[in-house]
Amino acid sequence: MEKVDLEKLALNGGAPARSKPLPPNYPGAVVMGEEEAAQAAQIIKAQSPFRFYGPDLRNSVTAMERMMEKDLGVPYALGVTSCTAALVVALKALGIGYGDKVIVPSVTFIATAGAVVAANAVPIFADVDDSLNIDPADLERVMDEEVKAIIAVPILGTSCDMDPIMAFAKKHSIHVIEDVAQSCGVRYKGRYAGAIGDVGVFSFQMNKIITAGEGGAVVTHSPEFYERAARYHDQGLLRPQLKERHGLNPDEETAAFIGQNYRMSEITGAVMVEQWGRLNGIVQTMRNHHRYLKQALAAELPDMKFRYSPDEQGDIGSNLGILLDSAEQAKAFTEALNAENIGVHTLYGSRPVYMVPQIFNKRTAEKDNFPFNYPFKNPVVYTEDMCPRAVDLVARMVFLPVSPVLAPSDLDEIVQGITKVYKTLF
C-alpha cells in the first residue's frame, strides 16, 4: 500500500477531514421534536403522570406496550424504569436467584452482569465469536448443573447467532434472556431480537436507538413469565388493568410475592409512544448509511477487515466495526481519527466486562459479598485470560457510531478521513 505523507494527519498538524465533530451518538434523541414534547405535555396537563391512576389517566405506557407487542410479535410487553430493572425483572420472572449461575457474554456493559448479581445470582462468562457477541461454541465450557439461564446481548446493532444458543438452552433445559439494550430493531433470520428467547429486555436510555432519557421494557411469549414480571416490577401486585387486559385471573392468596418498584411513568410512556413510532425510520436510515460507508471503504481499502455478523441483513447499522491487526494499531487508529473529527472508540476500555474491578473481585454492598458467598459445587473463579478471544478482539475492534442525521457530505468526509488515516498508518 502506497505511503502517504504523515504530515497530512490532523494528529500531526494537518487539516482535519471534517471541520466539526460528528453528531452526538444519541440516535433517538437527535430526532426528537415537537411530537415528543406534545405527548409529554398532555400527561402534565392531565395531571396524571402515574401509570395506574390519576384524575385524567391517558394510558400512555399501555399504548407503548401495545405498539411493542404488535410490532415485535409478542403477546406481552411491560414498561419499566430502565433496562437494568428489566433484566432484574426478567431474572425474577424466570425464578432465578441465590444459588443460581447465569451465563453472560464477556463483552457487554456492566449492567448485564450487575443485574444478575442484583437478582442474587452469580454471572459466569462465556467467550465471544468474531461478531463480538456471545460464542455459542463456548457455552458448553462454562455449563454446569448450577447454571439456570443465558443472557444473549446483541452488541451495538449486530445480532447474536441465536439458533445454536436456543438449541443449547433447550438441550440443557435452561432459559434464554435477550438483552437488546443497544440494538432495538435488530433481527435474526427475520425475527426481532428480544422475541426469540424466553424473555427479551429493552433500553430507552439516552444513548440508545430510541429514548426517553431513561426507561426499559420486558417482553415475553409466556403468560406465566409476564405475570411474574408484572408482579415483581410493582411490589408483588397485579393491577386490575393488567389482569383485565391480558385475561389473567390468579388466586392472590397463593400467587402474590414480594417485589420491587420498577414502574414506568406516564411521561416516559408518552415520549416512548412517539419514539417507538420513529424506530423503523431511524433503523432504515442507519442501515443505508452503514451500507454506504462499508461499501465505499471496501472499495478504497480492500484489505480493511469489518466486524462479522451472523445475519447482516438483520443488523440495524448503528455502528460500523473495523477490526485492526493489534491493540496498538487500534489505539493509533482511534487517536488519529478522533483528531480528524471522526469520533470512534473501542468498547469498555478495551477489556472484557469481567475485568471491571467490582466484578473481578466479587465485591458487593452486601454482607460477606453476597451472593458470591454461595457454596457452589463448582466454585466461580474469574481469571484475566479466561475468555481469550474477548481479550483479543475487544482491544482491536474500533467502532464508528452511525448517526441517523448524517448528511451525504458527512458520509463522504468520513470515508475520506478513514481512508487517509488508514493509508497513512498502515
Side-chain angles (χ1 to χ4, degrees), residues 266-288:
E266 283 287 282
I267 295 173
T268 299
V271 173
M272 286 313 305
V273 165
E274 286 299 324
Q275 283 276 294
W276 190 268
R278 296 185 190 273
L279 178 61
N280 286 340
I282 292 171
V283 167
Q284 190 56 55
T285 302
M286 292 190 304
R287 279 178 176 153
N288 292 340

Side-chain angles (χ1 to χ4, degrees), residues 210-391:
I210 50 178
T211 185
E214 288 284 7
V218 180
V219 305
T220 184
H221 294 275
S222 166
E224 175 191 355
F225 298 156
Y226 172 77
E227 181 185 330
R228 287 181 58 85
R231 288 187 186 281
Y232 196 79
H233 105 294
D234 190 13
Q235 310 289 9
L237 303 174
L238 189 62
R239 303 271 179 171
Q241 297 97 318
L242 302 185
K243 288 183 183 179
E244 294 163 8
R245 180 177 159 213
H246 293 295
L248 302 173
N249 189 29
D251 177 1
E252 290 300 313
E253 288 299 318
T254 58
F257 54 79
I258 295 170
Q260 302 287 336
N261 171 14
Y262 295 131
R263 298 181 298 255
M264 178 179 279
S265 81
E266 283 287 282
I267 295 173
T268 299
V271 173
M272 286 313 305
V273 165
E274 286 299 324
Q275 283 276 294
W276 190 268
R278 296 185 190 273
L279 178 61
N280 286 340
I282 292 171
V283 167
Q284 190 56 55
T285 302
M286 292 190 304
R287 279 178 176 153
N288 292 340
H289 292 344
H290 187 280
R291 188 177 301 116
Y292 180 89
L293 291 169
K294 189 173 180 180
Q295 290 176 350
L297 287 169
E300 292 287 338
L301 305 165
D303 62 338
M304 177 171 274
K305 300 171 187 174
F306 298 100
R307 180 188 185 188
Y308 164 75
S309 170
D311 184 1
E312 195 165 351
Q313 294 302 311
D315 294 350
I316 59 174
S318 60
N319 288 263
L320 179 67
I322 299 171
L323 185 63
L324 283 303
D325 289 340
S326 67
E328 292 74 23
Q329 283 192 3
K331 182 179 179 182
F333 190 59
T334 298
E335 290 176 350
L337 280 177
N338 286 335
E340 303 287 342
N341 281 322
I342 299 172
V344 298
H345 61 93
T346 56
L347 274 175
Y348 310 130
S350 301
R351 62 182 180 175
V353 66
Y354 60 78
M355 287 302 299
V356 174
Q358 57 268 49
I359 295 176
F360 192 76
N361 296 306
K362 304 175 185 175
R363 292 198 301 265
T364 73
E366 311 302 328
K367 184 178 180 181
D368 299 325
N369 287 320
F370 172 91
F372 288 103
N373 62 354
Y374 185 83
F376 290 108
K377 294 178 183 177
N378 299 298
V380 176
V381 177
Y382 301 152
T383 63
E384 293 184 11
D385 59 351
M386 64 185 180
C387 295
R389 287 188 60 75
V391 173

Side-chain angles (χ1 to χ4, degrees), residues 408-423:
S409 59
D410 294 319
L411 298 175
D412 289 336
E413 288 175 348
I414 290 169
V415 172
Q416 292 165 9
I418 291 177
T419 301
K420 177 176 79 167
V421 168
Y422 193 87
K423 285 185 174 180

